[in-house]
Amino acid sequence: MSGEPLYGCRGCGLGPLVRVLDLGKMPAADDFPSLESAGRQTEAAHALAMDLCAGCGLAQLAEDDTVTAEPRGVEPQALRDQAADAVSRVAAGGWLPGGGTVREFGSPHGGSWLPLLTERGYTVTERPADVVIDCFGIMHEPHQRVAFAQRAAAVAPGGVLLLQFHSLHVIVRQGQWNALRHGHFAYYSMAALQELLRSAGLVAVTAWEFSLYGGTVLVAAVHAPADADPSIARIRAVEAAVADPAVVRGLQQAADRQAAALRRWLETETASGRTVYAYGAASRAVTLLHLAGAHRGLLAGVADASPGKQGRRMPGTDIPILSPAELVAAQPDRVFLTLPDLLPEVSSRWPELDGRWIVEVPEPL
């Protein structure tokens, strides 16, 4: 395998593609093996790398040969709260007059905005709709230009596409290298997104920003011709640096640094006699734990609210996945939270663990 999609860039189809992050061979983030299989089977490892298109600026998964069935997770409260906030802000901007039709392109991670729209008088349809929603769904499409064309065709004349994405600018600025995972084929800057929308006959006309995942953007796009408001140009200006492969390559240094820091912290805590667990068997945790070389002797378990993951183990490790009740019963000294956005929810739900949550391990100066 060349490490590049066989059809070139997933967006423009051309390129050239520049390698900006290479995590080597990783276990599939969606495949949670049985706990009993630990040490008895050799798990398949899959190349995991990010390319940046020098032509259209789309950051993308270089290749993906994984074939797994993703256990459906439990939608976090932070995601539900952000969805409600987003719909309120969109409505306040005059984009949801009500009484029309709505269609949603869902994400395999679950969650839906449809109840929030039906509460406002919208009717769900599979035909072209007045409001089309895509919240973190389109990044799961390997053929990006085709996926954008499908969403454009779903927008009725005079309608709007509401598309939310995790900002590449934030991923790079905050060193969120483990946002890269199998099954996530595209990572957008505003400039790259505008090019994909343009290819589908759509125009991004306004945008809202949210703190979820460190920084996400919700764009409203309509059929061309249309004019963008100042929010689009402002976001583009802030994000300009991520068009430079040298800047995006900072993710490689962040990966090496964070993995080494986690390993040292786990070793220090264990040597001091403290028991460490984690919370959140998310895809980000899979790559982080694997790159850090974590094992059950350093990390006793990972708790997760998804019943489909409980009783299994973290891919590529012997670390068991527990229920939250089992985590509380274990009375750990430290609980490493793999998804910081969950802190308000888990702190409220399990007050017994107050003072034990670790959101970020210290890195060496």
Side-chain angles (χ1 to χ4, degrees), residues 95-103 122-123 125 127-132 154-162 221:
W95 291 96
L96 299 176
T101 54
V102 61
R103 180 173 173 179
Y122 283 86
T123 302
T125 182
R127 300 174 63 84
D130 300 308
V131 177
V132 176
V155 180
V160 61
L161 168 65
L162 298 174

Coordinates of all heavy atoms in Angstrom, one line a residue, residues 95-103 122-123 125 127-132 154-162 221:
W95 N -32.5 31.0 10.9 CA -32.4 29.9 10.0 C -33.4 28.8 10.2 O -33.5 27.9 9.4 CB -31.0 29.3 10.1 CG -30.0 30.3 9.5 CD1 -29.2 31.2 10.3 CD2 -29.6 30.5 8.2 NE1 -28.4 31.9 9.4 CE2 -28.6 31.5 8.2 CE3 -30.0 29.9 7.0 CZ2 -28.1 31.9 7.0 CZ3 -29.5 30.4 5.8 CH2 -28.5 31.4 5.8
L96 N -34.2 28.9 11.3 CA -35.2 27.9 11.6 C -36.6 28.5 11.8 O -37.1 28.5 12.9 CB -34.8 27.1 12.8 CG -33.5 26.3 12.7 CD1 -33.2 25.6 14.1 CD2 -33.5 25.3 11.6
P97 N -37.2 29.0 10.7 CA -38.5 29.6 10.9 C -39.6 28.6 11.3 O -40.7 29.0 11.8 CB -38.8 30.2 9.5 CG -38.0 29.3 8.6 CD -36.8 29.0 9.3
G98 N -39.4 27.3 11.1 CA -40.4 26.3 11.6 C -41.4 25.9 10.5 O -41.6 26.7 9.5
G99 N -42.0 24.8 10.7 CA -43.1 24.3 9.8 C -42.6 23.7 8.5 O -43.5 23.4 7.7
G100 N -41.3 23.5 8.4 CA -40.8 22.8 7.1 C -40.5 21.4 7.4 O -41.0 20.7 8.2
T101 N -39.5 20.9 6.5 CA -39.1 19.5 6.6 C -37.6 19.5 7.0 O -36.8 20.4 6.8 CB -39.3 18.8 5.2 OG1 -38.6 19.6 4.2 CG2 -40.7 18.7 4.9
V102 N -37.2 18.4 7.6 CA -35.8 18.2 8.0 C -35.4 16.8 7.7 O -36.1 15.8 7.7 CB -35.7 18.4 9.6 CG1 -36.6 17.5 10.4 CG2 -34.3 18.3 10.0
R103 N -34.1 16.7 7.4 CA -33.5 15.4 7.0 C -32.1 15.4 7.7 O -31.4 16.4 7.8 CB -33.3 15.2 5.5 CG -32.7 13.9 5.1 CD -32.7 13.8 3.6 NE -32.0 12.7 3.1 CZ -31.9 12.3 1.8 NH1 -32.5 13.0 0.9 NH2 -31.1 11.2 1.5
Y122 N -40.9 20.9 12.7 CA -40.4 20.3 11.5 C -40.8 18.9 11.3 O -41.0 18.1 12.3 CB -38.9 20.4 11.4 CG -38.4 21.8 11.1 CD1 -38.2 22.8 12.1 CD2 -38.1 22.2 9.7 CE1 -37.8 24.0 11.7 CE2 -37.7 23.4 9.4 CZ -37.5 24.4 10.4 OH -37.2 25.7 10.1
T123 N -41.0 18.4 10.1 CA -41.4 17.1 9.8 C -40.2 16.3 9.2 O -39.6 16.9 8.2 CB -42.6 17.1 8.8 OG1 -43.7 17.8 9.4 CG2 -43.0 15.6 8.5
T125 N -38.2 13.9 6.8 CA -38.4 13.3 5.5 C -37.1 12.7 5.0 O -36.0 13.0 5.5 CB -38.9 14.4 4.5 OG1 -39.1 13.9 3.2 CG2 -37.8 15.5 4.4
R127 N -36.8 12.9 1.6 CA -36.7 13.7 0.4 C -35.9 15.0 0.6 O -35.6 15.3 1.7 CB -38.2 14.0 -0.1 CG -39.0 12.7 -0.3 CD -40.5 13.1 -0.7 NE -40.5 13.9 -1.9 CZ -40.6 13.3 -3.1 NH1 -40.5 12.0 -3.3 NH2 -40.6 14.1 -4.2
P128 N -35.6 15.7 -0.5 CA -35.0 17.0 -0.3 C -35.7 17.8 0.8 O -37.0 18.0 0.7 CB -35.0 17.6 -1.6 CG -35.0 16.5 -2.6 CD -35.8 15.4 -1.9
A129 N -35.0 18.4 1.7 CA -35.6 19.0 2.9 C -35.2 20.5 3.0 O -34.2 20.9 2.5 CB -35.2 18.3 4.2
D130 N -36.0 21.2 3.8 CA -35.7 22.6 4.1 C -34.5 22.8 5.0 O -33.7 23.7 4.9 CB -36.9 23.3 4.8 CG -38.2 23.2 3.9 OD1 -38.1 23.6 2.7 OD2 -39.2 22.7 4.4
V131 N -34.3 21.8 5.9 CA -33.1 21.8 6.8 C -32.5 20.4 6.7 O -33.2 19.4 6.9 CB -33.5 22.1 8.2 CG1 -32.3 22.0 9.1 CG2 -34.2 23.5 8.3
V132 N -31.2 20.4 6.4 CA -30.5 19.1 6.3 C -29.3 19.2 7.4 O -28.6 20.2 7.4 CB -29.9 18.9 4.9 CG1 -29.0 17.6 4.9 CG2 -31.0 18.8 3.9
A154 N -29.7 16.8 -1.1 CA -30.8 16.6 -0.1 C -31.3 17.9 0.3 O -32.3 18.0 1.1 CB -30.2 15.9 1.1
V155 N -30.7 19.1 0.0 CA -31.2 20.4 0.4 C -32.2 20.9 -0.7 O -31.8 21.1 -1.8 CB -30.0 21.4 0.5 CG1 -30.5 22.8 0.9 CG2 -29.0 20.9 1.5
A156 N -33.4 21.2 -0.2 CA -34.4 21.7 -1.1 C -34.1 23.1 -1.5 O -33.3 23.8 -0.8 CB -35.8 21.7 -0.4
P157 N -34.6 23.6 -2.6 CA -34.4 25.0 -3.0 C -34.8 25.9 -1.9 O -35.9 25.8 -1.3 CB -35.4 25.2 -4.2 CG -35.5 23.8 -4.8 CD -35.4 22.8 -3.6
G158 N -34.0 26.8 -1.6 CA -34.2 27.8 -0.5 C -33.9 27.2 0.9 O -34.0 27.8 1.9
G159 N -33.4 25.9 0.9 CA -33.1 25.2 2.2 C -31.7 25.5 2.7 O -30.9 26.2 2.0
V160 N -31.3 24.9 3.8 CA -30.0 25.1 4.4 C -29.4 23.7 4.9 O -30.1 22.9 5.4 CB -30.1 26.1 5.6 CG1 -31.0 25.6 6.7 CG2 -28.7 26.4 6.1
L161 N -28.1 23.6 4.7 CA -27.4 22.5 5.2 C -26.7 23.0 6.5 O -25.9 24.0 6.4 CB -26.3 22.0 4.2 CG -25.3 21.0 4.8 CD1 -25.9 19.7 5.2 CD2 -24.2 20.7 3.7
L162 N -26.9 22.3 7.6 CA -26.2 22.6 8.9 C -25.2 21.5 9.1 O -25.5 20.4 9.4 CB -27.2 22.7 10.0 CG -28.3 23.8 9.9 CD1 -29.3 23.7 11.1 CD2 -27.6 25.2 9.9
A221 N -24.9 26.3 5.1 CA -24.5 26.4 3.7 C -25.8 26.3 2.9 O -26.8 25.6 3.2 CB -23.6 25.3 3.3

